[in-house]
Amino acid sequence: MEKVLEVAGLTKIYKNGRGVKDITFDVCTGDIFGFLGPNGAGKTTVMKGITGLNTLQKGHVKILGYNLDSQFENAMRNVGAIIETADVYEYMSAYENLKFIARFHQTIHEEDIDNILELVNLTSYKQEKASKFSLGMKQRLALARALLPNPKLIILDEPTNGLDIEGTVQMRNLIKELAAKRKMTFFISSHLVHEIELMCNKVAIIHEGRLVNNGVSIESIKESYQSLEDFYLNQVTEGGMV
């Protein structure tokens, strides 16, 4: 399988001593790769490092073979990302939000906007201002913005955080459908072990700024453990850390 994302030795330590150290993993085409860890473990720091929002102290990142440092534009051309918050322009309608993004991509046409709105189930609300949207609708609109340029890698930071049960299921099913039918690759952070287990095919666990493992298939975990939760607790509790 082609490596879409390669992270090697990623290190970023802040003045307070917190941060991440020697983060190394690969994500391949079509993966829904879960990045699991508690709040404060370093998940967002890693995601910012992958997208160039943090300056790395050590290590390197490659996206589709392009080095993030020396070939930034080529590396990021195939990336869609939502990190920390699902930002949308609330004074614009759903359609206007996507039209604005389309201005920066000559290959995006009117029908592409309509197709993405349909994909995220917002067609009925295309002319409604985002300020009137629920949190779940804003999450779907933010995802639509990330998907519109048809990127090969989608980076999502806690995509189901704050969603109700119905919104969570819709988001999960949409991600799985895009990976299966469009061969899109997802890198998804979460502190919700159950969501990672239901959504992802691989998982890496981060704990106190370090990786416990650098990517294990959910299927192989279930061969030895009753659940991903059992595996997680075995890996991070005293005596189980590897």
Side-chain angles (χ1 to χ4, degrees):
M1 295 290 286
E2 180 186 16
K3 291 181 181 179
V4 175
L5 174 63
E6 301 172 68
V7 178
L10 189 155
T11 299
K12 174 73 174 181
I13 306 295
Y14 298 101
K15 291 181 179 179
N16 62 6
R18 299 184 65 182
V20 297
K21 187 173 182 180
D22 197 26
I23 305 297
T24 299
F25 59 84
D26 296 331
V27 181
C28 296
T29 302
D31 276 345
I32 306 177
F33 191 102
F35 198 47
L36 177 63
N39 294 328
K43 300 187 300 294
T44 299
T45 297
V46 172
M47 288 185 149
K48 287 184 174 181
I50 291 170
T51 52
L53 297 174
N54 266 343
T55 302
L56 304 183
Q57 292 162 335
K58 291 182 181 179
H60 71 263
V61 174
K62 287 185 178 181
I63 300 173
L64 291 168
Y66 294 109
N67 190 293
L68 192 68
D69 286 334
S70 58
Q71 301 166 295
F72 181 81
E73 289 187 9
N74 285 330
M76 293 303 298
R77 186 172 287 121
N78 287 294
V79 177
I82 304 174
I83 297 177
E84 290 193 301
T85 57
D87 289 328
V88 298
Y89 296 115
E90 297 203 354
Y91 61 89
M92 292 183 179
S93 68
Y95 172 82
E96 289 168 339
N97 264 272
L98 298 185
K99 187 70 173 177
F100 180 80
I101 299 297
R103 292 173 56 191
F104 300 96
H105 302 271
Q106 295 181 351
T107 58
I108 296 176
H109 304 292
E110 194 82 19
E111 63 182 25
D112 298 317
I113 295 176
D114 289 334
N115 289 339
I116 288 294
L117 285 169
E118 183 177 359
L119 185 68
V120 299
N121 199 26
L122 287 176
T123 299
S124 300
Y125 307 95
K126 65 181 291 185
Q127 299 301 342
E128 191 169 321
K129 290 190 182 300
S131 60
K132 299 180 180 179
F133 284 6
S134 66
L135 176 59
M137 292 169 69
K138 288 178 182 177
Q139 289 274 55
R140 297 206 304 273
L141 179 56
L143 181 59
R145 283 164 49 113
L147 291 172
L148 188 59
N150 197 32
K152 294 183 178 179
L153 174 64
I154 313 290
I155 297 172
L156 302 177
D157 192 4
E158 303 275 1
T160 61
N161 196 30
L163 299 185
D164 58 21
I165 294 173
E166 185 177 356
T168 297
V169 172
Q170 288 175 348
M171 181 66 73
R172 183 197 310 147
N173 289 343
L174 177 57
I175 289 169
K176 292 171 75 171
E177 179 182 348
L178 290 168
K181 294 183 178 179
R182 299 195 181 190
K183 300 301 179 185
M184 285 186 172
T185 304
F186 288 85
F187 180 74
I188 298 175
S189 81
S190 184
H191 66 281
L192 302 172
V193 65
H194 182 63
E195 274 307 305
I196 292 292
E197 184 172 5
L198 290 175
M199 189 187 308
C200 302
N201 69 310
K202 292 181 182 177
V203 61
I205 295 171
I206 185 170
H207 187 74
E208 296 181 350
R210 293 178 180 268
L211 280 186
V212 175
N213 69 293
N214 59 3
V216 183
S217 76
I218 300 292
E219 184 178 348
S220 67
I221 289 172
K222 289 184 176 181
E223 290 177 357
S224 302
Y225 296 85
Q226 287 189 336
S227 66
L228 178 58
E229 182 179 85
D230 289 340
F231 174 75
Y232 174 86
L233 292 172
N234 174 270
Q235 297 296 290
V236 303
T237 52
E238 187 175 356
M241 196 72 142
V242 295

